[in-house]
Amino acid sequence: METKLIFVTGGVVSGLGKGITAASLGRLLKARGCSVSIMKLDPYLNVDPGTMNPYQHGEVFVTEDGAETDLDIGHYERFIDEELTKLNNTTTGQIFSSVIERERCGGYQGGTVQIIPHITDEIKHRIRRAVTKLAPDVMIVEIGGTVGDIESQPFLEAIRQLRTTLGPDNCCFIHVTLVPYLTASGELKTKPTQHSVKELQSVGIQPDIIVCRSDYPLERGIRAKIALFCNTAEENVIENLNARSLYEVPLMLEENGLSKAVIRKLRLECREPDLAEWRRMVETDLAPRGECTIGLVGKYVELHDAYLSVAEALRHSGIANHARVNIKWIAAESLEKGDAESSLAGLDGILVPGGFGERGLEGMMIAARYAREHGVPYFGICLGMQIAVIEFARHVIGWKDAHSTEVDFNTRHPVVSLMADQIGNLDRIGGTLRLGSYTCRLEEGSRSIALYGEKEIRERHRHRYEFNNEFLEDFKKAGMSFVGWNPKRGLAEIVELPAHPWFVGVQFHPEFRSRPDCAHPLFRGFVAASLENREKNAEVFNR
């Protein structure tokens, strides 16, 4: 069948959850038998978030084909369980770069280049290209930002034009708004939603469905009022209350009729949704039988979205182990300044995630050493693996100056060094890292192969430095095992300490492939080990 398009816009304020709404709708339509893909159109002028400060943008999510994308792409993948690509994320920076490059090459035959039609045509081209190459039954397109923002206007104009071209039966507009509650008067207010819809109508877009974020249930009178003043049917005003679990949102939206409203609008022929497995997963998430506390030691812990996929992967693994995973967010620098013992004592597991630069490295090494010496399960991801290697070199092998050449180019023991194909890329930091999915071959008898259950895997990468194989034999003799290798280039991908209860470092980012109903094997094993560590410590305490 011809691909149907659903456009999701947001109004009133940012941060209402357009991405979760889009992802949830994707899950519901997939549960009804439709093939689904989701795009994010981001209005910022950066080409991608790869060079942006995590405090400004949160994590950079990496796709299988190596695109550095907005974190909403991660939400999409986790909810619809589809591997997305660079086609699924487009930014204003990419749009303008393409148009300007075409103009420089004479592609517009000397004509004046303008926002309309050239920028809007490029936006439409990218949507059509994604639809053509991915060919889903339904393509959901989220428009970043808030209606009324100057930078979002070209995207709104482009999707307005697409509706005219595709026809009303092939296009659906969903607007996510806020219905605030005023404590002073004790009532919900619809005026912000009315103004937001009016703003959208002023650019020629009439929303077919209005999803109302609210802290309190919407009485029928409220929904009727929104429908009347926003020119839509009452059954298309959908309540979206705060959920107990992020993954409960699809179930709540289904109960409130979102997918039915979309099916009516697009005239889709769908079966009743099969949400039994998803519902069981949510019930497990909401009723854990145990718990553990993981210390996440990082550079950007003040903004939890900087480690969003890691936090979600821990949650998925908690679900798989019927347990709640509590994250203790620990700023790496704080371990360098204060009593590290008090911060790390009592943790059931320690995780050091990815990152770049010198700040906080010594604190991460303190955490890695504590985990190694106290038998606490340790999971190092990307930089976290490199930290484990450097700490081991310093305190087990005895090379006090061991370091990464990212920080100390003159060290006599550069146990972590710049990859050969990264030489010459340091003056251009955007999009030049080792990115995307690569093969890793696992060693027989390792903890990792037992967890994966297969000898060859593929995982996503985002790094510039690697373990220096010149020192491989020294590490082996000292007790560190290298159990995962890139078969083509001989790059070390996984390290383990066999004598430790659970100590694993990986150069890749396994968090990007974790799903709420299918936890990543390494995360699942790490959480299981942390639960065992908690039980062991409880037994010792009770003696």
Side-chain angles (χ1 to χ4, degrees):
M1 81 177 189
E2 183 180 0
T3 297
K4 307 279 190 174
L5 279 92
I6 300 171
F7 297 105
V8 181
T9 58
V12 186
V13 294
S14 61
L16 284 180
K18 293 193 309 298
I20 297 300
T21 299
S24 297
L25 177 58
R27 183 77 214 185
L28 295 177
L29 292 175
K30 189 173 180 181
R32 287 178 175 271
C34 296
S35 61
V36 177
S37 191
I38 313 182
M39 286 186 73
K40 175 74 179 290
L41 304 183
D42 266 311
Y44 51 76
L45 276 168
N46 305 68
V47 172
D48 59 46
T51 61
M52 295 171 72
N53 189 316
Y55 283 130
Q56 290 222 353
H57 194 266
E59 76 169 5
V60 176
F61 187 86
V62 178
T63 60
E64 286 287 301
D65 60 350
E68 294 176 291
T69 71
D70 181 77
L71 58 80
D72 274 321
I73 303 300
H75 283 313
Y76 303 160
E77 282 206 2
R78 288 187 284 272
F79 274 71
I80 68 173
D81 193 21
E82 299 285 344
E83 292 179 350
L84 304 182
T85 71
K86 61 184 66 177
L87 295 171
N88 295 90
N89 194 201
T90 292
T91 69
T92 297
Q94 294 170 10
I95 298 293
F96 274 67
S97 295
S98 295
V99 170
I100 291 170
E101 179 63 23
R102 189 174 303 133
E103 184 273 332
R104 292 289 83 190
C105 295
Y108 298 109
Q109 299 179 340
T112 301
V113 179
Q114 299 174 292
I115 299 297
I116 303 172
H118 303 103
I119 295 297
T120 51
D121 281 353
E122 178 66 19
I123 295 169
K124 291 187 292 182
H125 165 71
R126 292 195 175 227
I127 295 173
R128 289 193 181 104
R129 183 180 64 178
V131 166
T132 300
K133 292 191 175 183
L134 302 175
D137 295 332
V138 177
M139 174 66 83
I140 301 172
V141 182
E142 179 193 348
I143 312 299
T146 305
V147 170
D149 295 345
I150 292 174
E151 55 265 34
S152 298
Q153 289 178 359
F155 291 105
L156 296 176
E157 171 59 21
I159 65 175
R160 183 199 67 79
Q161 293 176 17
L162 273 175
R163 182 171 195 167
T164 302
T165 303
L166 297 172
D169 290 346
N170 294 316
C171 240
C172 177
F173 285 98
I174 298 176
H175 192 51
V176 181
T177 75
L178 176 68
V179 180
Y181 180 82
L182 295 188
T183 305
S185 60
E187 58 184 339
L188 293 165
K189 289 295 185 180
T190 65
K191 193 64 72 176
T193 292
Q194 294 177 45
H195 280 295
S196 179
V197 171
K198 184 179 180 180
E199 185 77 29
L200 195 57
Q201 291 169 334
S202 72
V203 297
I205 296 174
Q206 168 62 47
D208 302 296
I209 298 167
I210 300 173
V211 175
C212 299
R213 292 283 288 112
S214 176
D215 293 332
Y216 296 92
L218 303 183
E219 296 178 355
R220 183 176 179 184
I222 295 290
R223 289 190 288 112
K225 186 175 182 180
I226 291 172
L228 176 65
F229 286 99
C230 296
N231 198 28
T232 190
E234 186 179 329
E235 62 265 27
N236 290 345
V237 177
I238 308 297
E239 175 185 275
N240 187 7
L241 299 175
N242 296 330
R244 295 171 295 172
S245 162
L246 189 68
Y247 302 114
E248 191 181 21
V249 175
L251 302 177
M252 294 170 64
L253 289 176
E254 176 62 24
E255 184 178 339
N256 288 316
L258 178 59
S259 68
K260 290 180 180 178
V262 169
I263 289 168
R264 284 195 303 268
K265 175 64 183 64
L266 295 177
R267 302 181 187 275
L268 290 167
E269 295 182 5
C270 298
R271 66 175 187 234
E272 286 298 304
D274 182 5
L275 293 166
E277 288 296 325
W278 191 269
R279 195 178 301 279
R280 276 193 287 271
M281 177 271 295
V282 171
E283 290 171 353
T284 302
D285 184 26
L286 295 175
R289 296 200 292 260
E291 65 176 336
C292 64
T293 299
I294 304 296
L296 192 153
V297 183
K299 299 173 64 172
Y300 314 108
V301 295
E302 291 87 352
L303 180 68
H304 297 176
D305 274 359
Y307 303 108
L308 180 61
S309 289
V310 171
E312 289 304 306
L314 287 172
R315 183 173 196 165
H316 305 162
S317 300
I319 294 170
N321 285 283
H322 296 273
R324 177 185 296 107
V325 176
N326 304 307
I327 299 177
K328 181 179 179 180
W329 301 88
I330 303 172
E333 287 177 290
S334 70
L335 299 181
E336 303 168 15
K337 301 173 183 177
D339 180 9
E341 179 80 22
S342 63
S343 295
L344 300 173
L347 294 175
D348 304 311
I350 294 174
L351 187 151
V352 176
F356 299 90
E358 182 176 4
R359 184 172 65 84
L361 291 192
E362 295 299 326
M364 295 178 199
M365 272 184 260
I366 290 170
R369 183 178 184 179
Y370 182 92
R372 180 178 58 78
E373 293 181 345
H374 290 78
V376 178
Y378 177 85
F379 194 10
I381 297 174
C382 196
L383 177 61
M385 168 188 157
Q386 297 171 9
I387 289 295
V389 166
I390 297 168
E391 188 280 320
F392 191 85
R394 288 184 181 183
H395 301 113
V396 177
I397 300 178
W399 299 333
K400 301 302 182 185
D401 71 327
H403 223 311
S404 166
T405 56
E406 181 182 11
V407 177
D408 183 0
F409 192 77
N410 297 314
T411 174
R412 290 180 298 113
H413 296 96
V415 295
V416 175
S417 59
L418 187 67
M419 302 177 70
D421 60 1
Q422 291 294 309
I423 297 173
N425 280 341
L426 296 182
D427 59 341
R428 186 178 176 85
I429 60 175
T432 58
L433 298 161
R434 184 179 187 233
L435 295 164
S437 181
Y438 292 90
T439 299
C440 175
R441 192 162 292 159
L442 306 178
E443 298 286 342
E444 294 289 351
S446 65
R447 185 184 304 278
S448 296
I449 198 170
L451 289 169
Y452 277 102
E454 51 189 323
K455 188 169 184 178
E456 195 166 276
I457 59 169
R458 289 187 67 84
E459 293 284 2
R460 303 180 198 180
H461 295 67
R462 185 176 184 252
H463 65 107
R464 201 185 299 278
Y465 292 82
E466 63 171 332
F467 174 75
N468 189 341
N469 287 343
E470 291 181 17
F471 301 101
L472 180 61
E473 291 305 316
D474 297 286
F475 276 84
K476 285 183 176 180
K477 289 176 184 177
M480 180 171 277
S481 296
F482 291 74
V483 303
W485 294 92
N486 178 279
K488 288 187 177 180
R489 298 181 53 187
L491 304 178
E493 297 276 19
I494 307 178
V495 300
E496 296 180 0
L497 292 181
H500 191 279
W502 207 99
F503 194 105
V504 178
V506 298
Q507 186 58 73
F508 46 81
H509 287 268
E511 67 269 25
F512 294 147
R513 302 196 68 176
S514 188
R515 304 287 184 262
D517 49 354
C518 185
H520 190 281
L522 293 180
F523 274 92
R524 188 178 65 242
F526 173 58
V527 169
S530 299
L531 288 164
E532 290 177 11
N533 185 46
R534 184 183 182 90
E535 290 180 9
K536 180 190 71 175
N537 290 336
E539 289 175 4
V540 171
F541 180 78
N542 290 327
R543 285 176 185 170

